[in-house]
């Protein structure tokens, strides 16, 4: 049984930092590209960042580029999102998802992540 579990969310003041962690079990982790997505209250879910199976290719949404860093540890089946210079508009529930790797990198389009999602971790940024 595949499990995808996010952690690390919390309440932080604007300008602060958080590190989200996603732990995956039940699948061959390095067969999958991984992505972080978020959904703010009243808004559609959006892609934040993704990383290829090897970690060699990453993509970021324009809104987080330069502030967030995605990384992965294939030996321990873990995905990370380091979030710095946080803004109130970063407030959302953050989700981790896995997409079968086709060797072409990764995508921020959730259409590719059709099967394995976590339940999310809430990030709240106060001004």
């Amino acid at each position: 049984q595949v499990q995808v579990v996010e952690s690390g969310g919390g309440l932080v003041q604007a300008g602060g930092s958080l590190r989200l962690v996603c732990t995956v079990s039940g699948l061959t982790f390095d067969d999958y590209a991984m992505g972080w997505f978020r959904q703010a209250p009243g808004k559609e879910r959006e892609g934040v960042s993704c990383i290829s199976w090897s970690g060699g290719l990453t993509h970021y949404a324009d809104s987080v580029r330069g502030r967030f860093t995605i990384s992965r540890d294939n030996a321990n089946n873990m995905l990370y999102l380091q979030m710095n210079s946080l803004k109130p508009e970063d407030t959302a529930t953050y989700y981790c998802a896995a997409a079968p790797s086709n060797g072409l990198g990764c995508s921020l389009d959730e259409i590719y992540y059709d099967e394995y999602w976590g339940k999310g971790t809430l990030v709240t940024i106060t001004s």
Side-chain angles (χ1 to χ4, degrees):
Q1 181 180 358
V2 176
Q3 289 191 316
V4 180
V5 181
E6 303 93 340
S7 61
L11 180 67
V12 175
Q13 284 191 326
S17 297
L18 280 173
R19 188 194 197 201
L20 303 185
V21 180
C22 174
T23 303
V24 180
S25 60
L27 53 74
T28 303
F29 189 62
D30 56 9
D31 280 348
Y32 289 80
M34 298 295 299
W36 285 102
F37 296 81
R38 68 185 181 186
Q39 187 166 23
K43 295 187 177 181
E44 292 188 353
R45 190 161 58 189
E46 62 174 352
V48 174
S49 182
C50 68
I51 188 167
S52 62
W53 71 270
S54 67
L57 190 144
T58 58
H59 290 306
Y60 296 92
D62 289 344
S63 59
V64 307
R65 188 175 293 113
R67 300 187 297 122
F68 291 10
T69 302
I70 191 171
S71 60
R72 64 189 294 163
D73 178 354
N74 285 352
N76 292 294
N77 289 15
M78 298 181 79
L79 176 73
Y80 305 98
L81 186 68
Q82 178 66 43
M83 305 188 297
N84 298 329
S85 303
L86 284 161
K87 304 175 181 180
E89 51 263 45
D90 294 319
T91 294
T93 298
Y94 284 71
Y95 299 90
C96 169
S101 177
N102 56 11
L104 298 179
C106 68
S107 173
L108 294 179
D109 188 343
E110 64 177 81
I111 192 172
Y112 295 100
Y113 303 80
D114 60 351
E115 192 167 2
Y116 304 122
W117 287 81
K119 295 183 179 180
T121 185
L122 179 62
V123 172
T124 304
I125 310 302
T126 61
S127 56

